[in-house]
Amino acid sequence: MAKRTVIPFGPQHPVLPEPVHLDLVVEDETVVEAIPSIGFIHRGLEKLVEKRDYSQMVYVIERICGICSFGHGWGAAAAVEGAMGVKIPERAEYLRTILHELSRLHSHLLWLGLLADAFGFESLFNHCWRVRETVLDILEKTTGGRVIFSICKVGGLNKDIDNETLKEIVETLEGIKEEIKELTDVFIEDDSVKNRMVGVGVLSKEDAEELCAVGPVARGSGVVQDMRLTNNHGVYGELDFEPVIETAGDCYARCKVRIGEVFQSIELIAKAVAKIPEGPVSVPVKGNVEGEYMLRLEQPRGEAFYYAKGANSKFLQRMRVRTPTNMNIPALVKTLQGCDLADVPILILTIDPCISCTER
Amino acid sequence: MSYIAKSPWVIHYDGSSCNGCDIEVLACLTPMYDVERFGIINTGNPKHADVFLVTGSVNEQNKEVVKQIYEQMPEPKVVVAVGICACSGGVFKQCYNILGGVDTVIPVDVYVPGCAARPEAIIDGVVKGLAVLQEKRDNMVKGIDAPAEEPEAAAEEEKTEEGGEN
Ligand code: SF4
């Protein structure tokens, strides 16, 4: 038996903008075990419910993560609305759906860039992020922020987006579709890219189900699971779409799922804009929170879970969030066993880890 | 505006930020803002870096990491705290696992406010940092020790403490 060595990976590592620490037990060049250790970003923000009332809490929860911030704000607001029995106007639901898909678009483009960076394709990384700036411009124009929006509130949205702007958004997105296609073709067709991804880190369908993988990781292994289909948030039920499924379960499949979703998001936004009704975007909310509510929402990285419980006070008793990366870590540890040391960064990236979500 | 003879290299570490500021730091490096045209390169190795960009506040788990990275950087060096979390703790200030801004463990030279800090603001912060870097370098050449500021004194204490532990 070859000699075993332990190689520490992280917390400060060039490949990840975020700190995650893994102890990689290697035999020659093969990883036999990966032991994650966490807690570098733990803030303990769920406990802030004792100090912030429910409407302020939406902004705190939004800051769990700067990449899927809109979804978190939405989840928190919707959980409180559910507990209070507030029904938000139709237009607000549509706008939330549109903004959520825009965040998915920016999140996936960001991820494609990071993936390119992980296998050393610098120019592709830069191009992905250049295209992403167009989406950020849209978000900045409509919400006022580039990554943290603070537009969701309990009862609806803080501001309306007029129909004129919505049409412009659709046109802009149509305009960059061609550019995105050029970039994603590189991921799908380029041999050097394929060499790094095809057949690497295979997660079988059984494992994905058993380890409770979520989002693109599960969908890349052939599990049909998309919380948007459950139709408990937004207006996805009226937009008529099919989840993007790949069956190979390797890094390439996970990449293809996300690429599929980039175009799907553009389509969903166009469909939502075509159907959006007129009307107000928020209802006044008064009083205390009584009761509890649970909600599952599809974030760019997979299923996120929000729970709010109030005991007839302005302050919630409990606000619980479970994020997608948390559920994908067991799958990651599984795929890391037996992989090459050189593939570790790519494997970590293909679950699209968001450590600040996981640790909160 | 500062003029500096050498290309400043930056290292970025995510304290306990929400990612918002981190992706803005990365956005500075990409074609839209492109700080590379000024010779600024993001390096993963603290021993190559002149400017330390920290996002997010410090907590129990990562304070040692932040200190270690800071100590591994060669003199002269500049620390830029990016985002309100890194400046003071921000929205998370009252969380139980937040010790406060980055300046609780290492001396900070430039504070960039904002939640999230905009790329323009981050670039401005780095440029301000370069002036400080130049000043520190001049002082080193002249053999003057940098004026002892309070945060630096604090760092000295921490250092000796840590030395004691090992
Ligand atoms: S300042 Fe705001 S955007 Fe930046 S890390 Fe803190 S919460 Fe996130």
Side-chain angles (χ1 to χ4, degrees), chain B residues 146-159:
Chain B
E149 292 161 26
E150 251 182 283
E152 285 204 357
E156 284 301 327
E157 269 170 38
E158 308 257 1
K159 254 188 224 165

Side-chain angles (χ1 to χ4, degrees), chain A residues 63 147-148, chain B residues 17-21 55-56 82-86 91-92 114-117:
Chain A
R63 281 163 178 79
V147 290
I148 301 278
Chain B
S17 92
C18 77
N19 265 342
C21 288
T55 55
V82 177
I84 199 70
C85 284
V91 265
F92 307 124
C115 177

Side-chain angles (χ1 to χ4, degrees), chain B residues 44-164:
Chain B
N45 189 342
K47 295 186 181 84
H48 296 169
D50 309 293
V51 182
F52 186 17
L53 294 176
V54 202
T55 55
S57 30
V58 282
N59 64 20
E60 276 305 324
Q61 178 90 320
N62 71 26
K63 68 175 186 207
E64 292 303 325
V65 185
V66 172
K67 261 195 262 173
Q68 265 172 24
I69 297 177
Y70 180 75
E71 275 157 24
Q72 283 177 18
M73 286 169 62
E75 294 282 353
K77 55 194 165 190
V78 165
V79 178
V80 181
V82 177
I84 199 70
C85 284
C87 297
S88 70
V91 265
F92 307 124
K93 195 165 184 174
Q94 288 173 317
C95 289
Y96 59 81
N97 198 25
I98 293 292
L99 300 177
V102 178
D103 52 10
T104 46
V105 291
I106 55 172
V108 173
D109 299 288
V110 183
Y111 296 85
V112 180
C115 177
R118 296 183 56 88
E120 291 92 336
I122 299 174
I123 296 173
D124 197 33
V126 174
V127 171
K128 290 224 160 67
L130 294 185
V132 181
L133 189 68
Q134 187 63 45
E135 198 187 321
K136 285 191 181 173
R137 180 169 295 146
D138 290 346
N139 285 345
M140 271 175 83
V141 171
K142 284 187 216 139
I144 316 170
D145 281 341
E149 292 161 26
E150 251 182 283
E152 285 204 357
E156 284 301 327
E157 269 170 38
E158 308 257 1
K159 254 188 224 165
T160 41
E161 250 177 51
E162 202 190 38

